[in-house]
Amino acid sequence: MGLPRVAVFSMGGTISSVDSGGKGVEPTLTGEALVSDVPEIAGVADVSAVSFRQAASGELGVGDLVELAAEIEGRIDGGAAGAVVTQGTDTIEETSFVLDLLVDRGAPVVVTGAMRNPTLPGADGPANLLAAIRVAVSDAARGLGTVVVLNDEIHAARFVRKTHTSNPATFRSDPVGPVGWISEDVPRVVVRPAGKHKVTLPENAQDRPVALYHIALGDDGRLLPEIEEKGYAGLVVEAMGGGHVPSVMVETLEELASKMPVMLASRTGGGEVLRSTYGFIGSETDLIERGLIHTGPLDGRKARLLLTLLLQSGAGREEIAATFDTWLEG
Ligand code: ASP
């Protein structure tokens, strides 16, 4: 029997960046070059490398990921044991979550990247790619959904966040921690996240832009009316603490919530949005009464992507609220 097949889709980022003329590194290495740079891969999997995009990860959009998800499902249906995606780390917490929502297969989908580019001492790209491929062929990672593998840790896409600008240990999944790790080349999964939501998009899914608005001290919300005027289909408010905004903006938010889904997330980065603890104007109880929908345990960035896909799938307010409500059970 031959080695398991793995499709590696490269999308640019630091892992594939070299100096292109003295002005700093840029993503120019192809998928083939990334794979051939790590001879150990040949002993682990039969890899086909696809240069899917070649950009800084902030250039990617939901449309790219919808296309990528379909390609990944096609490779898995064609017999691949798993798929690996290499890209810039800036948006991995978002891209991996979109893949987690869209790819509906048991085979592992693993996203990786690098914090130190190939020109630096201690470049981490080769080790991360090899570890990602080991996870992609492992039985342990089957049925886990999309995971992020860097620094010998395995993180569930739904929890992972980039937490440091340059440290190779930048990826964290608070408060649960990584779902597993790679030790002496062996992937070990020790935690399986509860809940599993998939979104199915129609063939002709339309772009449904969703704005993300971060609430800060003393803000009077004067930008909020622009959200509708600029053609957004939904809004995620990253509110203070348990889900609080200054009282001056509640009427505008109520008005917006009568026209589009307006989600209430927390800017704290941990815990669930509260539902019934505080009663002041601008509190979570007040905002939910005014029509905002809580995002449960999802932070603003992840909630924005789930809302985007739900809107693209044609879901209405009830279905959106129910999906966020049952997120941990689904
Ligand atoms: N710093 C980034 C990286 O890790 C740049 C990007 O996300 O493309 O690749």
Side-chain angles (χ1 to χ4, degrees):
M1 235 179 67
L3 290 170
R5 281 194 279 142
V6 171
V8 174
F9 296 88
S10 63
M11 299 209 288
T14 291
I15 190 169
S16 63
S17 290
V18 286
D19 200 323
S20 53
K23 287 193 301 186
V25 297
E26 288 187 40
T28 48
L29 296 178
T30 62
E32 286 80 1
L34 290 184
V35 171
S36 63
D37 250 13
V38 191
E40 292 85 350
I41 291 174
V44 177
D46 173 6
V47 166
S48 53
V50 183
S51 293
F52 187 76
R53 297 285 186 272
Q54 208 164 47
S57 68
E59 296 296 318
L60 300 169
V62 172
D64 296 304
L65 299 164
V66 171
E67 204 181 310
L68 177 60
E71 295 255 353
I72 289 173
E73 287 188 338
R75 293 301 180 113
I76 292 170
D77 294 346
V84 169
V85 177
T86 66
Q87 64 157 90
T89 52
D90 291 359
T91 62
I92 277 186
E93 66 199 83
E94 290 161 283
T95 56
S96 62
F97 186 56
V98 173
L99 294 176
D100 193 36
L101 292 169
L102 292 179
V103 178
D104 200 3
R105 299 290 185 275
V109 178
V110 187
V111 187
T112 191
M115 292 301 289
R116 296 188 183 133
N117 71 64
T119 69
L120 296 174
D124 52 339
N128 288 340
L129 179 59
L130 180 59
I133 290 172
R134 289 192 197 283
V135 173
V137 299
S138 73
D139 284 337
R142 283 192 73 81
L144 260 192
T146 299
V147 293
V148 171
V149 169
L150 272 98
N151 207 30
D152 279 341
E153 290 183 339
I154 307 170
H155 292 264
R158 70 194 65 179
F159 298 125
V160 73
R161 299 176 74 150
K162 185 174 184 181
T163 64
H164 195 284
T165 54
S166 56
N167 191 317
T170 182
F171 284 98
R172 296 174 55 129
S173 296
D174 294 330
V176 283
V179 296
W181 53 80
I182 296 102
S183 177
E184 295 180 320
D185 300 340
V186 179
R188 184 94 57 208
V189 173
V190 294
V191 174
R192 294 196 163 257
K196 180 176 168 218
H197 279 282
K198 297 293 167 189
V199 181
T200 307
L201 299 182
E203 284 282 310
N204 59 348
Q206 302 296 306
D207 187 26
R208 306 285 277 151
V210 173
L212 178 59
Y213 188 96
H214 190 93
I215 306 287
L217 184 75
D219 184 8
D220 62 8
R222 72 184 73 176
L223 268 179
L224 286 172
E226 299 274 318
I227 304 284
E228 196 198 354
E229 284 157 28
K230 297 283 185 219
Y232 284 102
L235 168 66
V236 177
V237 175
E238 230 171 24
M240 299 160 166
H244 308 147
V245 304
S247 58
V248 65
M249 57 177 81
V250 297
E251 278 169 24
T252 317
L253 286 173
E254 183 173 6
E255 161 108 19
L256 276 173
S258 69
K259 297 177 176 153
M260 63 178 72
V262 179
M263 314 301 301
L264 182 62
S266 168
R267 70 178 196 176
T268 58
E272 292 193 32
V273 178
L274 301 178
R275 303 178 197 203
S276 56
T277 300
Y278 294 94
F280 55 83
I281 308 282
S283 67
E284 79 284 355
T285 312
D286 178 45
L287 293 169
I288 289 169
E289 262 171 33
R290 290 176 193 269
L292 275 72
I293 305 167
H294 72 80
T295 63
L298 289 180
D299 67 20
R301 269 163 278 177
K302 296 204 199 261
R304 173 179 167 272
L305 291 165
L306 177 56
L307 178 59
T308 303
L309 293 180
L310 287 172
L311 287 169
Q312 287 193 10
S313 77
R317 196 184 185 287
E318 296 295 294
E319 189 181 338
I320 290 166
T323 304
F324 278 90
D325 214 25
T326 55
W327 177 252
L328 290 174
E329 297 133 44

